[in-house]
Amino acid sequence: MLTRLRRITRSALLFLQALLLAACSQASQPSMAVPGSVVSLVPPPGFTPAPNFSGFVSEDGRASILVAELPAEASSAVSGLFVDEPAARSRFASQGVQVDRLESLSIEGRTAPVVIGSQAAHGYTFGKWISLFSGSPTVMITIQAPRDHALTHQQAMQALATVTLRPQVTLEEKIAAIPFSIKPASPFRLLDSLSGSAVALTAGELDTDPEGRQPLIVVASQLSLPFASNDPQKVSDQLIAGSVRIQGGTITSRENVPFGGITGHRVDGVTPDGRHYRHYLALWPGERFVRLVAILPADSSKEVEDAVEATAASVRFREP
């Protein structure tokens, strides 16, 4: 009897030791701050800070965690995506995401909804976990990985459960974290960075301009090419066709020009509502690309047009 009791006790102790080791292993993984954002989290094993966007990327480069801070005017609209499963299925379907279910996490007394689904792209099906963290600013975090990736549902949810939000960072800190440098030419000024891989600029007093009365510039970069082509003209046309404010417009001219430190491609055109746009693209086959989109009121001055050209000329990728 005594021997049996000792065996039971030893087994229980070994089980407790295993639990303790597992807990210590989980706790020993440090929370990592996302540069240029208010977010910190504990990424899944094998994930490291991404060099070209706000978030993390897996060692094999196939899975990612994207952190996007939303402007105040977009927060309420995005929150509507997470109200319930029917709303999530309907709204995310327009973005090509098939929603399986809607779950939630309780983090430090707050509830964060998590849309769980999948998306087909580039010949693969990606699992997606999309979560919204309300605050100032509101943050949306997207985890995605191919279905055959080692990342599990449990690991994705555990990473989201570790999210904490710090006090809002300065615009200077956000700009310093993007993978390229840019010098706005007067009268343009920086508005904000987007997802650690893009910046928005405007010329005028308004920070929010839904009617498009002020000149607007958006510069964005990406590590992988969005389309199966290395032809700058073809890629430019595809990017323009997918850009809401300029798609469906009329192209008036195109030419190869210096941009991003290499030979780029510029397209000038008129939007469906009569504004002018200028689209610059520089791409490095198999590596990365950067684009600049300027949308100008029809009566914009030559000073503004020259400022767009000067701003475009300043764009350079930062050295690693």
Side-chain angles (χ1 to χ4, degrees), residues 16-68:
L16 288 173
Q17 289 172 7
L19 287 179
L20 181 59
L21 286 172
C24 289
S25 175
Q26 180 71 19
S28 65
Q29 299 182 47
S31 180
M32 301 180 68
V34 178
S37 84
V38 300
V39 173
S40 293
L41 60 82
V42 179
F47 279 69
T48 57
N52 63 313
F53 61 86
S54 286
F56 301 89
V57 64
S58 60
E59 289 177 335
D60 60 8
R62 301 172 65 219
S64 62
I65 302 174
L66 175 66
V67 175

Side-chain angles (χ1 to χ4, degrees), residues 185-261:
S186 178
F188 283 96
R189 60 185 175 87
L190 289 165
L191 275 177
D192 204 351
S193 71
L194 312 169
S195 302
S197 60
V199 294
L201 305 88
T202 191
E205 297 180 355
L206 300 176
D207 288 343
T208 303
D209 181 27
E211 297 178 3
R213 291 177 292 177
Q214 296 181 168
L216 173 70
I217 294 177
V218 176
V219 187
S221 67
Q222 191 169 314
L223 189 60
S224 59
L225 299 180
F227 306 105
S229 174
N230 292 329
D231 185 332
Q233 179 171 326
K234 291 181 179 179
V235 174
S236 291
D237 290 347
Q238 289 173 305
L239 289 170
I240 290 170
S243 300
V244 174
R245 296 193 180 187
I246 61 177
Q247 61 187 186
T250 302
I251 293 176
T252 57
S253 66
R254 61 168 75 239
E255 62 178 319
N256 291 330
V257 297
F259 179 59

Side-chain angles (χ1 to χ4, degrees), residues 95-256:
Q95 304 300 317
V97 177
Q98 180 179 338
V99 174
D100 296 330
R101 61 191 184 277
L102 180 64
E103 296 186 5
S104 63
L105 292 168
S106 180
I107 306 171
E108 297 181 345
R110 295 183 302 170
T111 299
V114 185
V115 164
I116 300 165
S118 60
Q119 183 175 27
H122 308 297
Y124 296 92
T125 299
F126 292 84
K128 281 185 172 284
W129 296 261
I130 308 170
S131 189
L132 192 70
F133 297 83
S134 298
S136 181
T138 293
V139 174
M140 186 163 67
I141 299 179
T142 302
I143 301 177
Q144 72 170 23
R147 287 298 197 193
D148 62 351
H149 198 270
L151 181 71
T152 66
H153 170 72
Q154 182 180 8
Q155 289 174 327
M157 295 296 284
Q158 283 178 340
L160 292 173
T162 66
V163 169
T164 58
L165 305 183
R166 306 187 307 278
Q168 192 161 7
V169 298
T170 65
L171 178 58
E172 289 73 19
E173 291 173 312
K174 290 182 179 182
I175 299 303
I178 61 175
F180 57 85
S181 60
I182 182 171
K183 297 179 181 178
S186 178
F188 283 96
R189 60 185 175 87
L190 289 165
L191 275 177
D192 204 351
S193 71
L194 312 169
S195 302
S197 60
V199 294
L201 305 88
T202 191
E205 297 180 355
L206 300 176
D207 288 343
T208 303
D209 181 27
E211 297 178 3
R213 291 177 292 177
Q214 296 181 168
L216 173 70
I217 294 177
V218 176
V219 187
S221 67
Q222 191 169 314
L223 189 60
S224 59
L225 299 180
F227 306 105
S229 174
N230 292 329
D231 185 332
Q233 179 171 326
K234 291 181 179 179
V235 174
S236 291
D237 290 347
Q238 289 173 305
L239 289 170
I240 290 170
S243 300
V244 174
R245 296 193 180 187
I246 61 177
Q247 61 187 186
T250 302
I251 293 176
T252 57
S253 66
R254 61 168 75 239
E255 62 178 319
N256 291 330

